[in-house]
mmCIF file of all heavy atoms in Angstrom:
data_model
loop_
_atom_site.group_PDB
_atom_site.id
_atom_site.type_symbol
_atom_site.label_atom_id
_atom_site.label_comp_id
_atom_site.label_asym_id
_atom_site.label_seq_id
_atom_site.Cartn_x
_atom_site.Cartn_y
_atom_site.Cartn_z
ATOM 1 N N ASP A 16 0.531 21.643 -8.338
ATOM 2 C CA ASP A 16 -0.552 21.793 -9.317
ATOM 3 C C ASP A 16 -1.244 20.433 -9.450
ATOM 4 O O ASP A 16 -0.923 19.634 -10.321
ATOM 5 C CB ASP A 16 0.014 22.259 -10.665
ATOM 6 C CG ASP A 16 -1.069 22.565 -11.680
ATOM 7 O OD1 ASP A 16 -2.222 22.779 -11.274
ATOM 8 O OD2 ASP A 16 -0.755 22.580 -12.885
ATOM 9 N N TYR A 17 -2.207 20.193 -8.584
ATOM 10 C CA TYR A 17 -2.864 18.890 -8.538
ATOM 11 C C TYR A 17 -3.842 18.738 -9.696
ATOM 12 O O TYR A 17 -4.821 19.468 -9.805
ATOM 13 C CB TYR A 17 -3.583 18.716 -7.199
ATOM 14 C CG TYR A 17 -4.186 17.347 -7.006
ATOM 15 C CD1 TYR A 17 -3.372 16.236 -6.873
ATOM 16 C CD2 TYR A 17 -5.559 17.179 -6.965
ATOM 17 C CE1 TYR A 17 -3.910 14.982 -6.687
ATOM 18 C CE2 TYR A 17 -6.111 15.928 -6.781
ATOM 19 C CZ TYR A 17 -5.288 14.835 -6.641
ATOM 20 O OH TYR A 17 -5.825 13.591 -6.464
ATOM 21 N N ASN A 18 -3.545 17.803 -10.581
ATOM 22 C CA ASN A 18 -4.391 17.494 -11.759
ATOM 23 C C ASN A 18 -4.697 18.722 -12.604
ATOM 24 O O ASN A 18 -5.780 18.850 -13.171
ATOM 25 C CB ASN A 18 -5.698 16.822 -11.340
ATOM 26 C CG ASN A 18 -5.489 15.404 -10.865
ATOM 27 O OD1 ASN A 18 -4.457 14.791 -11.149
ATOM 28 N ND2 ASN A 18 -6.458 14.883 -10.148
ATOM 29 N N GLY A 19 -3.764 19.651 -12.665
ATOM 30 C CA GLY A 19 -3.934 20.822 -13.514
ATOM 31 C C GLY A 19 -4.928 21.841 -12.979
ATOM 32 O O GLY A 19 -5.355 22.727 -13.706
ATOM 33 N N THR A 20 -5.295 21.765 -11.716
ATOM 34 C CA THR A 20 -6.274 22.698 -11.142
ATOM 35 C C THR A 20 -5.616 23.902 -10.494
ATOM 36 O O THR A 20 -6.312 24.850 -10.139
ATOM 37 C CB THR A 20 -7.133 21.985 -10.084
ATOM 38 O OG1 THR A 20 -6.276 21.510 -9.038
ATOM 39 C CG2 THR A 20 -7.911 20.833 -10.685
ATOM 40 N N GLY A 21 -4.304 23.862 -10.315
ATOM 41 C CA GLY A 21 -3.618 24.958 -9.649
ATOM 42 C C GLY A 21 -3.741 24.892 -8.136
ATOM 43 O O GLY A 21 -3.327 25.808 -7.442
ATOM 44 N N THR A 22 -4.291 23.844 -7.611
ATOM 45 C CA THR A 22 -4.469 23.677 -6.172
ATOM 46 C C THR A 22 -3.271 22.940 -5.579
ATOM 47 O O THR A 22 -2.830 21.935 -6.122
ATOM 48 C CB THR A 22 -5.750 22.855 -5.892
ATOM 49 O OG1 THR A 22 -6.849 23.468 -6.531
ATOM 50 C CG2 THR A 22 -6.013 22.734 -4.409
ATOM 51 N N LYS A 23 -2.768 23.467 -4.469
ATOM 52 C CA LYS A 23 -1.689 22.778 -3.766
ATOM 53 C C LYS A 23 -2.303 21.758 -2.816
ATOM 54 O O LYS A 23 -3.211 22.074 -2.052
ATOM 55 C CB LYS A 23 -0.840 23.762 -2.973
ATOM 56 C CG LYS A 23 0.158 24.507 -3.800
ATOM 57 C CD LYS A 23 1.124 25.263 -2.904
ATOM 58 C CE LYS A 23 2.164 25.956 -3.760
ATOM 59 N NZ LYS A 23 3.163 26.640 -2.942
ATOM 60 N N VAL A 24 -1.769 20.538 -2.883
ATOM 61 C CA VAL A 24 -2.254 19.474 -2.012
ATOM 62 C C VAL A 24 -1.067 18.750 -1.384
ATOM 63 O O VAL A 24 0.065 18.843 -1.863
ATOM 64 C CB VAL A 24 -3.133 18.448 -2.774
ATOM 65 C CG1 VAL A 24 -4.393 19.095 -3.310
ATOM 66 C CG2 VAL A 24 -2.355 17.774 -3.870
ATOM 67 N N VAL A 25 -1.368 18.019 -0.341
ATOM 68 C CA VAL A 25 -0.394 17.138 0.294
ATOM 69 C C VAL A 25 -0.875 15.712 0.058
ATOM 70 O O VAL A 25 -2.030 15.383 0.322
ATOM 71 C CB VAL A 25 -0.259 17.433 1.803
ATOM 72 C CG1 VAL A 25 0.618 16.416 2.484
ATOM 73 C CG2 VAL A 25 0.277 18.828 2.022
ATOM 74 N N VAL A 26 0.020 14.883 -0.476
ATOM 75 C CA VAL A 26 -0.307 13.486 -0.767
ATOM 76 C C VAL A 26 0.525 12.605 0.163
ATOM 77 O O VAL A 26 1.750 12.659 0.142
ATOM 78 C CB VAL A 26 -0.007 13.132 -2.239
ATOM 79 C CG1 VAL A 26 -0.337 11.679 -2.518
ATOM 80 C CG2 VAL A 26 -0.767 14.044 -3.178
ATOM 81 N N ALA A 27 -0.160 11.810 0.975
ATOM 82 C CA ALA A 27 0.517 10.880 1.883
ATOM 83 C C ALA A 27 0.218 9.456 1.420
ATOM 84 O O ALA A 27 -0.941 9.107 1.197
ATOM 85 C CB ALA A 27 0.025 11.082 3.311
ATOM 86 N N THR A 28 1.257 8.658 1.246
ATOM 87 C CA THR A 28 1.082 7.263 0.835
ATOM 88 C C THR A 28 1.900 6.365 1.759
ATOM 89 O O THR A 28 2.947 6.771 2.267
ATOM 90 C CB THR A 28 1.534 7.017 -0.612
ATOM 91 O OG1 THR A 28 2.920 7.356 -0.720
ATOM 92 C CG2 THR A 28 0.731 7.832 -1.591
ATOM 93 N N ALA A 29 1.403 5.160 1.942
ATOM 94 C CA ALA A 29 2.121 4.162 2.739
ATOM 95 C C ALA A 29 1.786 2.785 2.180
ATOM 96 O O ALA A 29 0.661 2.535 1.752
ATOM 97 C CB ALA A 29 1.728 4.253 4.204
ATOM 98 N N GLU A 30 2.782 1.928 2.169
ATOM 99 C CA GLU A 30 2.627 0.552 1.676
ATOM 100 C C GLU A 30 3.283 -0.402 2.655
ATOM 101 O O GLU A 30 4.298 -0.070 3.260
ATOM 102 C CB GLU A 30 3.325 0.365 0.326
ATOM 103 C CG GLU A 30 2.490 0.638 -0.853
ATOM 104 C CD GLU A 30 3.216 0.294 -2.158
ATOM 105 O OE1 GLU A 30 4.158 -0.527 -2.130
ATOM 106 O OE2 GLU A 30 2.837 0.857 -3.172
ATOM 107 N N MET A 31 2.693 -1.583 2.756
ATOM 108 C CA MET A 31 3.296 -2.624 3.580
ATOM 109 C C MET A 31 2.816 -3.987 3.107
ATOM 110 O O MET A 31 1.696 -4.111 2.615
ATOM 111 C CB MET A 31 2.960 -2.444 5.059
ATOM 112 C CG MET A 31 1.504 -2.648 5.396
ATOM 113 S SD MET A 31 1.150 -2.574 7.136
ATOM 114 C CE MET A 31 1.655 -4.186 7.644
ATOM 115 N N PRO A 32 3.651 -5.013 3.222
ATOM 116 C CA PRO A 32 3.190 -6.359 2.883
ATOM 117 C C PRO A 32 2.329 -6.899 4.022
ATOM 118 O O PRO A 32 2.610 -6.659 5.190
ATOM 119 C CB PRO A 32 4.478 -7.160 2.736
ATOM 120 C CG PRO A 32 5.463 -6.436 3.580
ATOM 121 C CD PRO A 32 5.074 -4.987 3.543
ATOM 122 N N PHE A 33 1.271 -7.608 3.655
ATOM 123 C CA PHE A 33 0.433 -8.248 4.668
ATOM 124 C C PHE A 33 1.096 -9.552 5.083
ATOM 125 O O PHE A 33 1.480 -10.355 4.238
ATOM 126 C CB PHE A 33 -0.970 -8.515 4.111
ATOM 127 C CG PHE A 33 -1.861 -9.240 5.073
ATOM 128 C CD1 PHE A 33 -2.298 -8.625 6.220
ATOM 129 C CD2 PHE A 33 -2.250 -10.544 4.828
ATOM 130 C CE1 PHE A 33 -3.119 -9.287 7.116
ATOM 131 C CE2 PHE A 33 -3.062 -11.223 5.713
ATOM 132 C CZ PHE A 33 -3.502 -10.589 6.864
ATOM 133 N N ARG A 34 1.247 -9.751 6.376
ATOM 134 C CA ARG A 34 1.871 -10.964 6.890
ATOM 135 C C ARG A 34 0.791 -11.940 7.328
ATOM 136 O O ARG A 34 0.040 -11.666 8.257
ATOM 137 C CB ARG A 34 2.798 -10.639 8.053
ATOM 138 C CG ARG A 34 4.065 -9.972 7.588
ATOM 139 C CD ARG A 34 4.992 -9.696 8.749
ATOM 140 N NE ARG A 34 6.250 -9.149 8.328
ATOM 141 C CZ ARG A 34 6.434 -7.950 7.798
ATOM 142 N NH1 ARG A 34 5.418 -7.170 7.563
ATOM 143 N NH2 ARG A 34 7.637 -7.522 7.463
ATOM 144 N N TRP A 35 0.754 -13.079 6.644
ATOM 145 C CA TRP A 35 -0.229 -14.106 6.955
ATOM 146 C C TRP A 35 0.144 -14.779 8.272
ATOM 147 O O TRP A 35 1.293 -14.770 8.689
ATOM 148 C CB TRP A 35 -0.266 -15.148 5.839
ATOM 149 C CG TRP A 35 -0.597 -14.557 4.518
ATOM 150 C CD1 TRP A 35 0.277 -14.099 3.584
ATOM 151 C CD2 TRP A 35 -1.898 -14.316 3.988
ATOM 152 N NE1 TRP A 35 -0.405 -13.610 2.501
ATOM 153 C CE2 TRP A 35 -1.733 -13.732 2.721
ATOM 154 C CE3 TRP A 35 -3.180 -14.553 4.452
ATOM 155 C CZ2 TRP A 35 -2.803 -13.371 1.914
ATOM 156 C CZ3 TRP A 35 -4.251 -14.195 3.656
ATOM 157 C CH2 TRP A 35 -4.052 -13.605 2.408
ATOM 158 N N ILE A 36 -0.833 -15.389 8.908
ATOM 159 C CA ILE A 36 -0.570 -16.113 10.151
ATOM 160 C C ILE A 36 0.381 -17.266 9.877
ATOM 161 O O ILE A 36 1.325 -17.498 10.615
ATOM 162 C CB ILE A 36 -1.886 -16.614 10.776
ATOM 163 C CG1 ILE A 36 -2.654 -15.449 11.365
ATOM 164 C CG2 ILE A 36 -1.608 -17.637 11.870
ATOM 165 C CD1 ILE A 36 -3.985 -15.821 11.953
ATOM 166 N N LEU A 37 0.130 -18.008 8.792
ATOM 167 C CA LEU A 37 1.024 -19.091 8.416
ATOM 168 C C LEU A 37 2.184 -18.510 7.624
ATOM 169 O O LEU A 37 1.981 -17.934 6.555
ATOM 170 C CB LEU A 37 0.289 -20.132 7.569
ATOM 171 C CG LEU A 37 -0.852 -20.869 8.259
ATOM 172 C CD1 LEU A 37 -1.542 -21.788 7.275
ATOM 173 C CD2 LEU A 37 -0.337 -21.655 9.440
ATOM 174 N N GLN A 38 3.376 -18.623 8.154
ATOM 175 C CA GLN A 38 4.550 -18.083 7.483
ATOM 176 C C GLN A 38 5.182 -19.147 6.588
ATOM 177 O O GLN A 38 5.034 -20.337 6.823
ATOM 178 C CB GLN A 38 5.575 -17.609 8.504
ATOM 179 C CG GLN A 38 5.085 -16.458 9.348
ATOM 180 C CD GLN A 38 4.833 -15.202 8.538
ATOM 181 O OE1 GLN A 38 5.641 -14.819 7.714
ATOM 182 N NE2 GLN A 38 3.708 -14.558 8.768
ATOM 183 N N GLY A 39 5.866 -18.719 5.570
ATOM 184 C CA GLY A 39 6.534 -19.639 4.652
ATOM 185 C C GLY A 39 5.655 -19.945 3.451
ATOM 186 O O GLY A 39 4.481 -19.585 3.392
ATOM 187 N N ASP A 40 6.241 -20.600 2.467
ATOM 188 C CA ASP A 40 5.501 -20.946 1.261
ATOM 189 C C ASP A 40 4.483 -22.037 1.565
ATOM 190 O O ASP A 40 4.734 -22.949 2.337
ATOM 191 C CB ASP A 40 6.453 -21.435 0.167
ATOM 192 C CG ASP A 40 7.322 -20.304 -0.354
ATOM 193 O OD1 ASP A 40 6.911 -19.142 -0.197
ATOM 194 O OD2 ASP A 40 8.396 -20.589 -0.906
ATOM 195 N N MET A 41 3.313 -21.900 0.946
ATOM 196 C CA MET A 41 2.236 -22.859 1.146
ATOM 197 C C MET A 41 2.082 -23.690 -0.122
ATOM 198 O O MET A 41 1.762 -23.148 -1.179
ATOM 199 C CB MET A 41 0.937 -22.123 1.456
ATOM 200 C CG MET A 41 0.991 -21.347 2.757
ATOM 201 S SD MET A 41 -0.425 -20.308 3.011
ATOM 202 C CE MET A 41 0.124 -18.813 2.196
ATOM 203 N N PRO A 42 2.335 -25.000 -0.055
ATOM 204 C CA PRO A 42 2.200 -25.828 -1.262
ATOM 205 C C PRO A 42 0.734 -25.965 -1.660
ATOM 206 O O PRO A 42 -0.142 -26.111 -0.813
ATOM 207 C CB PRO A 42 2.789 -27.168 -0.844
ATOM 208 C CG PRO A 42 2.690 -27.186 0.633
ATOM 209 C CD PRO A 42 2.771 -25.769 1.099
ATOM 210 N N THR A 43 0.478 -25.885 -2.951
ATOM 211 C CA THR A 43 -0.892 -26.035 -3.434
ATOM 212 C C THR A 43 -1.166 -27.447 -3.894
ATOM 213 O O THR A 43 -2.299 -27.870 -3.937
ATOM 214 C CB THR A 43 -1.162 -25.071 -4.601
ATOM 215 O OG1 THR A 43 -0.205 -25.329 -5.629
ATOM 216 C CG2 THR A 43 -1.059 -23.640 -4.141
#
């Protein structure tokens, strides 16, 4: 029941950390 509309939906989610070219902590 997507948002109370009675419609069936498929929800696909994906997450990932972005890896910077420079690895390690960067002092400011």
Side-chain angles (χ1 to χ4, degrees):
D16 186 20
Y17 185 67
N18 288 342
T20 61
T22 305
K23 280 191 177 183
V24 296
V25 173
V26 179
T28 60
E30 270 186 23
M31 67 175 281
F33 177 68
R34 287 182 176 68
W35 301 92
I36 287 178
L37 296 176
Q38 296 295 314
D40 291 338
M41 296 172 271
T43 57

